[in-house]
Amino acid sequence: MSQVPDLNTLFQSAQADGVLSNASMQALHVIDIGAQIQAGLGTPVDDVMVSEVVLVTIMPDDSGSIRFAGNGAVVRAGHNTVLDTLAMSPQHDQILVHNRYLNGAVLYPYCPVDQAIRMDQHNYDPNLGTPLYDQTLVLLATVLAKAQAFIDNGVPVRTVSLIITDGADAHSRRSVREVKGVVEDMLRTEDHIIAAMGINDGQTDFKRVFREMGVRDQWILTPGNSQNEIRKAFQLFSQSVLRASQSAHNLNSWGGFGP
């Protein structure tokens, strides 16, 4: 049986590698979020027999406003499109995927694409709130811990993460400053892409929301509230993940979303 990774050791290793600042280490202090991070780690590093790995991490919004706007079906379909695209990649055996909903429920921890669970009406019922900052920190901590586990085993890693919301943060205990610090630390390594999709709610300036979280402009998607626009945004993300799986290095040298 594979040993459960020690998160403190992984984060200390990331700090020693120059990935995490002291402020980010404090933000990711694992006493309160350790169990949530562990829930997403999934497939043990020793079970992945490839020379390099791409971690694809998706956080779909499961707040009630998604349902009220009639967007539940298109979010499910968008996520499933990402899985379909990755399954067709020649590098699909190097890709691990993880889906954690915005309110913390893990649909599946990191696993091969062919083991990922498709979103459907039974496992996705958007009716909760929008703890955007709290759960973004949990998500990014999970990405960092999983990536560091591979790095410590000598396996090169690149990561692509997508945060999806149709509203600004509500009720988080953690601050946007903490999120921004972790995002900026990760982006400095050039091995991570952190993308965000803000589905138009008629009032939120998503470019401002995501900029304040540290996400770079070229990785911000702001589709309108039509199913066609949301579908296209997911397709753009899918193509970017495909490129990441085929890229040799330096993910952030790209121009962002686009051809």
Side-chain angles (χ1 to χ4, degrees), residues 116-130:
I117 299 169
R118 297 173 75 82
M119 285 173 63
D120 60 30
Q121 288 175 293
H122 303 291
N123 59 34
Y124 177 66
D125 179 22
N127 62 358
L128 299 168
T130 311

Side-chain angles (χ1 to χ4, degrees), residues 82-153:
V82 175
L83 295 184
D84 291 340
T85 302
L86 297 181
M88 293 186 294
S89 168
Q91 287 81 19
H92 68 88
D93 59 335
Q94 299 178 0
I95 300 170
L96 294 180
V97 289
H98 166 38
N99 178 323
R100 179 190 299 273
Y101 292 150
L102 180 58
N103 282 274
V106 172
L107 179 60
Y108 52 85
Y110 283 113
C111 63
V113 177
D114 60 1
Q115 294 176 23
I117 299 169
R118 297 173 75 82
M119 285 173 63
D120 60 30
Q121 288 175 293
H122 303 291
N123 59 34
Y124 177 66
D125 179 22
N127 62 358
L128 299 168
T130 311
L132 183 60
Y133 305 150
D134 285 357
Q135 285 300 316
T136 295
L137 277 173
V138 173
L139 189 83
L140 297 181
T142 309
V143 175
L144 278 164
K146 193 65 177 178
Q148 195 64 41
F150 279 108
I151 292 165
D152 289 352
N153 276 268

Side-chain angles (χ1 to χ4, degrees), residues 231-252:
R231 194 176 299 113
K232 283 182 178 174
F234 273 105
Q235 288 168 350
L236 269 177
F237 176 73
S238 297
Q239 293 306 312
S240 294
V241 174
L242 208 55
R243 288 169 64 201
S245 70
Q246 297 164 352
S247 174
H249 51 76
N250 195 349
L251 297 184
N252 280 289

Side-chain angles (χ1 to χ4, degrees), residues 89-223:
S89 168
Q91 287 81 19
H92 68 88
D93 59 335
Q94 299 178 0
I95 300 170
L96 294 180
V97 289
H98 166 38
N99 178 323
R100 179 190 299 273
Y101 292 150
L102 180 58
N103 282 274
V106 172
L107 179 60
Y108 52 85
Y110 283 113
C111 63
V113 177
D114 60 1
Q115 294 176 23
I117 299 169
R118 297 173 75 82
M119 285 173 63
D120 60 30
Q121 288 175 293
H122 303 291
N123 59 34
Y124 177 66
D125 179 22
N127 62 358
L128 299 168
T130 311
L132 183 60
Y133 305 150
D134 285 357
Q135 285 300 316
T136 295
L137 277 173
V138 173
L139 189 83
L140 297 181
T142 309
V143 175
L144 278 164
K146 193 65 177 178
Q148 195 64 41
F150 279 108
I151 292 165
D152 289 352
N153 276 268
V155 180
V157 185
R158 285 159 290 147
T159 82
V160 188
S161 306
L162 177 64
I163 299 156
I164 304 161
T165 183
D166 71 346
D169 179 84
H171 312 305
S172 280
R173 292 175 301 158
R174 314 303 286 270
S175 71
V176 70
R177 188 182 71 253
E178 290 175 292
V179 175
K180 185 175 185 179
V182 174
V183 170
E184 289 180 341
D185 282 357
M186 291 175 70
L187 295 184
R188 206 164 37 241
T189 71
E190 301 187 332
D191 293 322
H192 302 281
I193 289 172
I194 299 169
M197 183 189 304
I199 300 171
N200 187 12
D201 65 350
Q203 59 188 30
T204 304
D205 181 349
F206 285 108
K207 284 203 179 281
R208 182 183 62 77
V209 167
F210 294 135
R211 279 182 195 134
E212 288 178 354
M213 293 168 65
V215 180
R216 293 177 179 169
D217 276 14
Q218 66 265 36
W219 293 111
I220 296 173
L221 290 164
T222 53

